[in-house]
C-alpha cells in the first residue's frame, strides 16, 4: 500500500468523517498500522481488572469513579478502554443524560464540601436547586463573590 487516502475516503464516505468511524473498523486499523510502522497502537491494551465486571457495572449505571474504586484501578483507565472500544458506555450515557440523576461535586471557597445529585446537595446545604444551577453559569463564575460556590459535574 502506498497511500492511506483511499481508506480514509471510504471511511468518510460511509461514516461522514474519520472521527465517526468505529475504532475497530478494518480500514481504520489498516491506516493506523500504515502510519505506525505495522503496529496498531490500540491493539496492545493492558488491563489489570475484570473487563466483564466493569461492563456490567457500566450497564447498571454505576459511576465510573465508583467502578474504578471497586475494581482497584483508576477512572482514567476505564475511560481509556471506553475510548478504545473495549468497553461500551452507551447505556451508561443514556442513564446519565437525565439531570435528576447527574452527580456533582460541591465546593465552597475552593474547599470540597460534598458530592451528590443537585437534590441531595440542596437538602444538605439548604441552598435551593435553582441557586445551585445558577452556580454553574458563566455569569456567576465571572462575578466576584465573598463566598464562592462551584458545582462540578462528575461521571
Amino acid at each position: 500500500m502506498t497511500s492511506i487516502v483511499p481508506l480514509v475516503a471510504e471511511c468518510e464516505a460511509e461514516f461522514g468523517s474519520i472521527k465517526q468511524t468505529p475504532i475497530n473498523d478494518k480500514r481504520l486499523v489498516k491506516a493506523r498500522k500504515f502510519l505506525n510502522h505495522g503496529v496498531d497502537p490500540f491493539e496492545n491494551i493492558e488491563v489489570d481488572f475484570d473487563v466483564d465486571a466493569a461492563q456490567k457495572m457500566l450497564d447498571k449505571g454505576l459511576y465510573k469513579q465508583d467502578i474504578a474504586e471497586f475494581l482497584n484501578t483508576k477512572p482514567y483507565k476505564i475511560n481509556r478502554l471506553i475510548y478504545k472500544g473495549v468497553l461500551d458506555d452507551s447505556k451508561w450515557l443514556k442513564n446519565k443524560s437525565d439531570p435528576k440523576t447527574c452527580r456533582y461535586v460541591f465546593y465552597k471557597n475552593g474547599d470540597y464540601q460534598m458530592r451528590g445529585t443537585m437534590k441531595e446537595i440542596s437538602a444538605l446545604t439548604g441552598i435551593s436547586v435553582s441557586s445551585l444551577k445558577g452556580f454553574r453559569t458563566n455569569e456567576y463564575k465571572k462575578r466576584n463573590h465573598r463566598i464562592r460556590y462551584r458545582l462540578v459535574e462528575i461521571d
Side-chain angles (χ1 to χ4, degrees):
M1 173 169 60
T2 58
S3 175
I4 63 167
V5 174
L7 295 174
V8 172
E10 286 178 25
C11 290
E12 287 179 340
E14 187 173 337
F15 298 103
S17 90
I18 198 70
K19 289 182 178 182
Q20 300 295 327
T21 306
I23 199 112
N24 56 354
D25 185 89
K26 291 179 182 179
R27 295 165 294 197
L28 192 57
V29 170
K30 198 172 186 181
R32 283 196 306 262
K33 284 184 177 181
F34 177 77
L35 294 171
N36 292 292
H37 307 290
V39 178
D40 182 7
F42 291 104
E43 244 175 21
N44 301 324
I45 301 172
E46 295 180 23
V47 181
D48 56 349
F49 57 87
D50 186 3
V51 177
D52 293 332
Q55 183 63 56
K56 287 177 184 175
M57 288 187 250
L58 276 172
D59 291 346
K60 288 183 179 179
L62 295 174
Y63 293 97
K64 294 175 187 176
Q65 184 176 354
D66 296 339
I67 295 170
E69 287 173 10
F70 181 78
L71 296 173
N72 199 25
T73 189
K74 303 285 183 192
Y76 78 86
K77 289 185 178 182
I78 291 174
N79 286 326
R80 185 184 309 153
L81 291 175
I82 290 168
Y83 176 75
K84 291 182 178 182
V86 176
L87 292 172
D88 177 28
D89 67 343
S90 58
K91 288 182 182 177
W92 186 86
L93 288 171
K94 197 178 292 183
N95 292 339
K96 300 306 171 219
S97 63
D98 181 11
K100 292 179 183 174
T101 61
C102 284
R103 285 184 47 186
Y104 300 90
V105 176
F106 183 64
Y107 296 94
K108 179 180 179 181
N109 289 333
D111 296 327
Y112 170 83
Q113 298 297 308
M114 63 180 302
R115 74 178 183 184
T117 63
M118 279 200 193
K119 197 171 186 179
E120 293 168 343
I121 294 171
S122 174
L124 292 173
T125 61
I127 300 171
S128 69
V129 173
S130 60
S131 293
L132 290 173
K133 289 179 182 177
F135 298 153
R136 294 186 41 88
T137 63
N138 287 331
E139 292 80 19
Y140 177 84
K141 293 175 186 176
K142 289 178 186 175
R143 284 186 256 139
N144 290 327
H145 302 278
R146 189 172 49 87
I147 299 175
R148 191 179 78 245
Y149 296 106
R150 291 287 186 260
L151 199 63
V152 180
E153 186 175 336
I154 58 174
D155 47 68

